[in-house]
Amino acid sequence: MGYSPFLGIATAAFEIGVAGWGLSGLGRRDIVRITSAILLLLAGYQIAEVLICSTHPVYGFLPRLAFLDVTWLPPLGILLCSRLFAPRSRFVTGAAYAMLGAAAGIMLWIAFDPGFVAASVCSTVFARYTHALPRFQAYAIFYWLGLLGMVGFSTFGAMRAGRPEDRKLLAELRTGSVAFILPSLIVTWFVPTGEGALPSIMCHFALLLAIFLARLLATERRAAADERTRAVAQRS
């Protein structure tokens, strides 16, 4: 079956729309901006994949561009965790900045390594990639450490947060992370055509993460509106 760009385009439109909605509303600016950046990166991968599969078999720099895009997702996820922790955790903040530094180095590596993504094949709604080993294994370790950090830190943060709003925000991030990671692994393990397509499958299932990030932004917006209302009431 040939590749259909509809799912990718629709997902990207939703993610861009939620990011724009979040940036236009109330809420702590760091929380809103990091969350919106994650949504825009998710949309960026969808757009890159549509371009990859529409230029088949001439890929050029596009497969590397797709991986440059998703490289930043786990570090930003951990950075969001660090901003949601209350009180702030030096360890989580340090882990976030370490991951961001690693992502910057990996970005340069991918940009200047034409062999990082050797080829890609598009099928139905996802793309399969092949990489030069063992180089890609180092990238995979970085990426999975980031994803596990998102799940672990958000889970721990939700347990220790004092305010109900903070617990809910971290719970949204935790549930959204698990909601796209587990189905992606199941599809890759049990669907024959999923072999080599984990990055693409994960970014499609990341629509679930985007939905929970939209809920996170909505909760943050409501909390900010309530706080503004209380402040106005106290002044009057």
Side-chain angles (χ1 to χ4, degrees):
M1 184 181 293
Y3 175 82
S4 172
F6 175 77
L7 179 60
I9 293 172
T11 301
F14 171 77
E15 291 160 348
I16 292 171
V18 173
W21 172 77
L23 290 168
S24 66
L26 298 174
R28 290 168 289 180
R29 289 295 89 188
D30 54 348
I31 303 300
V32 171
R33 287 169 181 165
I34 296 169
T35 304
S36 298
I38 294 172
L39 288 161
L40 291 174
L41 286 171
L42 291 174
Y45 176 86
Q46 299 294 342
I47 294 168
E49 185 174 290
V50 169
L51 293 174
I52 289 169
C53 293
S54 65
T55 59
H56 174 75
V58 182
Y59 304 114
F61 186 73
L62 287 173
R64 280 187 286 160
L65 178 62
F67 278 85
L68 286 171
D69 181 288
V70 298
T71 294
W72 294 97
L73 293 175
L76 285 179
I78 295 178
L79 183 64
L80 180 58
C81 284
S82 73
R83 294 296 185 267
L84 292 172
F85 260 65
R88 291 284 177 89
S89 166
R90 290 184 179 180
F91 179 77
V92 180
T93 300
Y97 286 122
M99 287 294 292
L100 287 168
I106 289 173
M107 181 186 71
L108 294 174
W109 166 34
I110 296 174
F112 292 102
D113 183 2
F116 181 81
V117 181
S120 60
V121 177
C122 298
S123 175
T124 313
V125 294
F126 56 81
R128 292 195 299 271
Y129 300 93
T130 56
H131 307 269
L133 297 176
R135 285 177 292 179
F136 183 69
Q137 290 175 331
Y139 179 88
I141 291 171
F142 155 82
Y143 206 83
W144 280 104
L145 282 175
L147 293 179
L148 292 174
M150 285 176 61
V151 175
F153 290 142
S154 59
T155 300
F156 179 67
M159 293 170 58
R160 72 190 290 265
R163 295 197 316 158
E165 295 87 350
D166 294 327
R167 288 198 298 271
K168 182 170 175 55
L169 293 173
L170 284 158
E172 298 287 8
L173 179 58
R174 175 204 62 209
T175 307
S177 300
V178 174
F180 90 93
I181 293 171
L182 284 183
S184 301
L185 292 174
I186 291 170
V187 169
T188 305
W189 288 338
F190 295 106
V191 177
T193 56
E195 184 177 358
L198 181 59
S200 178
I201 291 170
M202 290 187 77
C203 282
H204 284 303
F205 275 114
L207 173 60
L208 299 173
L209 172 62
I211 291 170
F212 281 96
L213 291 178
R215 289 165 55 93
L216 186 155
L217 288 172
T219 301
E220 176 67 15
R221 179 178 287 199
R222 285 194 300 270
D226 291 343
E227 186 174 337
R228 174 178 288 187
T229 301
R230 287 193 295 269
V232 171
Q234 289 173 358
R235 289 196 298 266
S236 61

